[in-house]
Amino acid sequence: MTKQYQITLLPGDGIGPEIMAVTVDVLKVVSKQYDLDFTFEEACIGGAAIDQIGEPLPAESLEKCRRSDAVLLAAIGGYQWDNLPRHQRPETGLLRLRAGLGLFANLRPATILPQLIDASTLKREVVEGVDIMVVRELTGGIYFGQPKGIFETEKGEKRGVNTMAYKESEIDRIVKVGFEIAQKRRGKLCSVDKANVLDVSQLWRDRVTAMAPNYPDVELTHLYVDNAAMQLVRDPKQFDTIVTGNLFGDILSDEAAMLTGSIGMLPSASLGADGPGVFEPVHGSAPDIAGQDKANPLAQVLSAAMMLHYGLNEPEAATNIEQGVIQVLERGYRTGDIMSTGMTPVGCRRMGEALIEVLSSEQVLGFRF
Ligand code: IPM
Ligand code: MG
């Protein structure tokens, strides 16, 4: 029987609409092959929403997302909105979406593909075989803690404040996700904190340690965030699954992404306890190349694969897309960000067409993300 899914598309800003268009075309091809019936509905977010409606996440957009089975988001932000007051910035729209849908778990895989090893700035022997999953807490910590703001002291001096705070329940639910993902991967979990200085991190570490006996099959380690940042470039293969708070996860996931050569290749999934997840590339809106058909659409396409995997429980269709991406790289197609000598340079649209050719030819290489 045909399965029906309602998908909300949030193309956002910059290169967002281009990479989204390619991804929707890919999903249409896959839907025919796997007998899935997707209904796509677009909504606005970020700068595009500020321009059209005056706020970065209009209530109607959030409502459409709530009503759907999954949300596919491209990217938000651009120079023209950078000087607006914080509540009107594109980034605020993204944070409201995460909070509004209760998306506390952000999964950011950083897997190096054999075809792209030479695109990494690190030595081949350091990055070959890297396969890391960063599990980032997404609705708490210093991003949301109170008090926050820019206040005036009694002496009339300005003082900027943010608060890094976690309740036990917030720590427990994300750490549980970390342990469970580690169980499904190579059984290693590294919890990253700053417990040598921060009380909030001490509580984090205490909770992680208390939960460890429930997962005897997982080898647990703890690292301070400064050391973790260093170890990621020194010897990234020591990592399997990393679980950490919102701010540390933001920073470490960019670092882990770059191990793989290009942030233009990496997808992410943001999940809550129930309701639709949001699936988006790790990279931003790249306003410098927007509208020029230069963007790499593959992180967006792989985000659609994560949507099929984690959001819609359609692992076969997901795997098909992932293998198609490998195959298209194997055939030598490269956008500018992953270009190397001897490969065929293509733009965003052509990369999408090449992928559709591959998917239609049903060749697979047997690689699993
Ligand atoms: C990310 C981004 C966002 C974040 C910004 C755009 C608000 O950097 O998703 O990693 O800081 O979480
Ligand atoms: Mg970030």
Side-chain angles (χ1 to χ4, degrees), residues 278-332:
V278 172
F279 303 86
E280 60 176 308
V282 169
H283 63 70
S285 57
D288 51 322
I289 57 163
Q292 299 170 36
D293 195 33
K294 286 184 181 165
N296 181 353
L298 295 179
Q300 182 77 66
V301 167
L302 290 170
S303 299
M306 279 192 104
M307 173 181 84
L308 290 163
H309 242 302
Y310 292 92
L312 305 179
N313 198 18
E314 296 288 350
E316 285 164 16
T319 305
N320 193 37
I321 292 184
E322 289 167 349
Q323 292 181 343
V325 168
I326 304 295
Q327 182 77 15
V328 98
L329 295 172
E330 190 67 28
R331 291 185 181 184

Side-chain angles (χ1 to χ4, degrees), residues 113-120 124 261-262 329-346 351:
L113 304 179
Q115 294 80 2
L116 296 183
I117 286 184
D118 294 324
S120 177
R124 169 179 279 267
S262 173
L329 295 172
E330 190 67 28
R331 291 185 181 184
Y333 296 106
R334 298 286 188 276
T335 42
D337 57 315
I338 49 174
M339 186 59 196
S340 56
T341 29
M343 299 296 145
T344 311
V346 290
M351 184 61 109

